[in-house]
Amino acid sequence: MKVIIFCGGLGTRIRDTSESLPKPMINIGNYPIIWHIMRYYAHWGHKEFILCLGYKGDKIREFFLNYRAYTSDFTLNFNKENKDIIFHNNHETHDWSVTLVETGLNTMTGGRLKKVQKYISQDETFLLTYGDGLGDINLDNLVRFHKMNNKVLTVTGVRPPGRFGELNSDEFGTVTEFNEKPQATAGVISGGFFACDYKIFNYLNDNENLIFENEPIKSLVKDQQMSIYKHEHFWQPMDTHREYLLLNEMYKKGNAPWMIWNK
């Protein structure tokens, strides 16, 4: 199943982490977050990717054009007539298909999705996500849920990570529990990780200012063509420098729930 990834946003809230890279290319450990996202989808058997490029898209193109050099140890024989490069790592990612599409510097998400319609076959179900969020969503269950409900769009609903300490107390005001960074105890938001039918393009137009999360989704809700797959476990965006540090700390400590390919 094809996976479309939004990779073109300006990422203004995380500029203090890196001014020279687009957000999808900011590293978690040794690899950019876009690699982690793609590796996660590939673990579930989804290895055909379509990347919607925009802001600093050349950095993403450069990474994939030189993918083996970025991700492998290799030997260069300068003193021989044969100048072939010898790569020493055998990555499981070599069977991926990656289509990189220029969708415009200032194009909004709805416009970006419309621009890659030509790479999706009619009546094809595909997956859609953002290039800056990680989770341990069971993608088999997501796809199964989507097909069972027979809607145009299924969104993964998550509880957002709390940004402040949460205090619980008894009736006398004595604190009984303190969680430094808890999951929100109420309310569900979109965590991305969408499953879509081709009919989603009927809700889009060629306006580059079209925001997928606004008019198209509101129309889908009005037509009762959107369902929610609830996910109660790990989900974490990388919108800020603090969240960048959090994800890298999880990676460093070997406590990265999204890295299920290592289990």
Side-chain angles (χ1 to χ4, degrees), residues 145-178:
F145 179 87
H146 175 72
K147 292 183 176 180
M148 179 181 68
N149 283 275
N150 195 32
K151 303 293 186 183
V152 172
L153 178 69
T154 298
V155 58
T156 298
V158 300
R159 298 189 184 278
R163 296 184 182 272
F164 305 98
E166 179 184 67
L167 291 166
N168 291 321
S169 62
D170 61 20
E171 59 183 312
F172 303 107
T174 301
V175 174
T176 58
E177 185 178 16
F178 173 73

Side-chain angles (χ1 to χ4, degrees), residues 111-152:
R112 294 192 192 281
L113 182 55
K114 182 66 174 178
K115 285 175 182 284
V116 301
Q117 179 178 358
K118 59 187 176 183
Y119 297 104
I120 302 295
S121 301
Q122 291 192 20
D123 300 322
E124 182 177 1
T125 299
F126 62 93
L127 301 171
L128 171 68
T129 195
Y130 301 95
D132 62 356
L134 294 164
D136 61 354
I137 292 92
N138 186 313
L139 296 180
D140 284 350
N141 288 345
L142 170 62
V143 172
R144 189 178 301 113
F145 179 87
H146 175 72
K147 292 183 176 180
M148 179 181 68
N149 283 275
N150 195 32
K151 303 293 186 183
V152 172

Side-chain angles (χ1 to χ4, degrees), residues 157-162 166 168 182-190 230 232:
V158 300
R159 298 189 184 278
E166 179 184 67
N168 291 321
Q183 290 294 113
T185 54
V188 174
I189 65 169
S190 166
K230 292 185 178 180
E232 300 288 347

Side-chain angles (χ1 to χ4, degrees), residues 246-262:
L246 171 66
L247 288 168
N248 271 278
E249 186 67 15
M250 296 174 77
Y251 178 89
K252 181 179 178 181
K253 290 182 176 179
N255 180 31
W258 69 90
M259 293 183 68
I260 57 177
W261 56 87
N262 283 341

